Amino acid sequence: TDDELKDLQKLNGTFTITGTYPNYKLIQDNGTIVYPTAENVSAVTDSKGFGDHKRAQFYVNYYPENIKTENGTTVIRDAELKDGVYLAERKVITEAEANKAGLLKEDSIYTVTSVDSWLAYGYLNSIFTAYYSKEGTEIINPTVNLCAKSTGDNAVTFTLLYNRHQTSGTNCEGSFPYSFDITNFEVPGNDSITVTLEIKGRNPSCIKVGRKDFYNHAN
């Protein structure tokens, strides 16, 4: 009804996907928990579920009566997913691995136009815009890696390596959502961790997080 639509609430954010088809628990990076209905999951995934995907941006609809605070956490039940996109998931690589693969060569690293980065539940996330190339109708797919450059006590520096491979053909700009699993990378010390992210063409950015947030995935 019109009154029901007027009360409908909307939410969008980045989530870690837990659970199994069709009963999923989605944990937003700010800690909010969303339980979509089994019927909704079946409809939006063509009865296939989310497969091996662990990270996604979702647009969520829910009614006010279905949002509660449980043990200090905001929980939304009987939610409906309206749209979404998976984040490309990658493991962090070491500087030795990057060198061996030739990823650190100066002519293999390109600038990005803009970037939004944050860390949550053991994932370093970057949604950035950058130029890529097309030859006719064929897209030259860029390569994206995150390299652990250096560590110190309670500190680590990562470098985002964006390689568009060529600049001939048509110049296009696109948005690239990535989520890097950093939980297998040890940082010495026992305090909160300062994460520095370097990207060619941008000023380095720093994120300070607790060790739990650095190492633990949502569950």
Side-chain angles (χ1 to χ4, degrees):
T1 67
D2 288 343
D3 286 341
E4 287 177 327
L5 289 175
K6 189 165 57 178
D7 291 337
L8 191 67
Q9 304 294 304
K10 298 183 179 183
L11 168 72
N12 70 79
T14 305
F15 295 81
T16 296
I17 300 168
T18 69
T20 56
Y21 178 80
N23 301 307
Y24 288 103
K25 175 183 176 182
L26 309 177
I27 305 176
Q28 192 176 1
D29 285 353
N30 67 2
T32 297
I33 295 174
V34 173
Y35 292 96
T37 67
E39 295 78 11
N40 172 244
V41 169
S42 178
V44 299
T45 66
D46 293 326
S47 301
K48 296 174 182 176
F50 299 126
D52 293 331
H53 295 284
K54 295 298 182 186
R55 298 284 291 164
Q57 290 178 297
F58 287 122
Y59 292 84
V60 182
N61 285 358
Y62 65 94
Y63 288 104
E65 61 266 26
N66 292 329
I67 182 170
K68 309 287 184 185
T69 299
E70 301 178 10
N71 299 318
T73 299
T74 301
V75 178
I76 302 172
R77 299 184 184 275
D78 296 327
E80 289 198 351
L81 307 180
K82 302 307 295 182
D83 198 4
V85 60
Y86 294 121
L87 274 70
E89 297 166 37
R90 297 284 189 275
K91 292 278 189 182
V92 173
I93 61 175
T94 66
E95 195 166 23
E97 290 170 329
N99 264 320
K100 186 176 180 180
L103 300 176
L104 297 179
K105 295 178 180 178
E106 190 63 28
D107 60 359
S108 295
I109 306 172
Y110 290 78
T111 60
V112 305
T113 308
S114 63
V115 63
D116 180 24
S117 299
W118 70 99
L119 195 149
Y121 298 114
Y123 292 100
L124 179 60
N125 311 280
S126 281
I127 299 178
F128 61 92
T129 57
Y131 285 100
Y132 63 94
S133 299
K134 282 178 70 175
E135 292 284 359
T137 59
E138 182 184 356
I139 294 175
I140 309 301
N141 289 314
T143 301
V144 180
N145 286 283
L146 187 70
C147 172
K149 183 179 177 182
S150 63
T151 60
D153 282 349
N154 308 307
V156 59
T157 298
F158 293 111
T159 302
L160 183 73
L161 305 175
Y162 177 71
N163 187 351
R164 60 181 290 189
H165 298 294
Q166 69 177 54
T167 56
S168 61
T170 304
N171 236 11
C172 305
E173 190 176 39
S175 178
F176 301 88
Y178 274 80
S179 196
F180 299 95
D181 185 344
I182 60 175
T183 57
N184 64 342
F185 193 80
E186 292 293 330
V187 178
N190 53 21
D191 204 345
S192 56
I193 298 172
T194 298
V195 179
T196 301
L197 180 61
E198 297 180 343
I199 305 175
K200 186 173 182 179
R202 316 291 303 175
N203 290 326
S205 60
C206 290
I207 308 167
K208 193 168 186 177
V209 296
R211 285 186 168 263
K212 181 179 178 182
D213 293 323
F214 191 94
Y215 287 116
N216 290 1
H217 288 162
N219 54 43

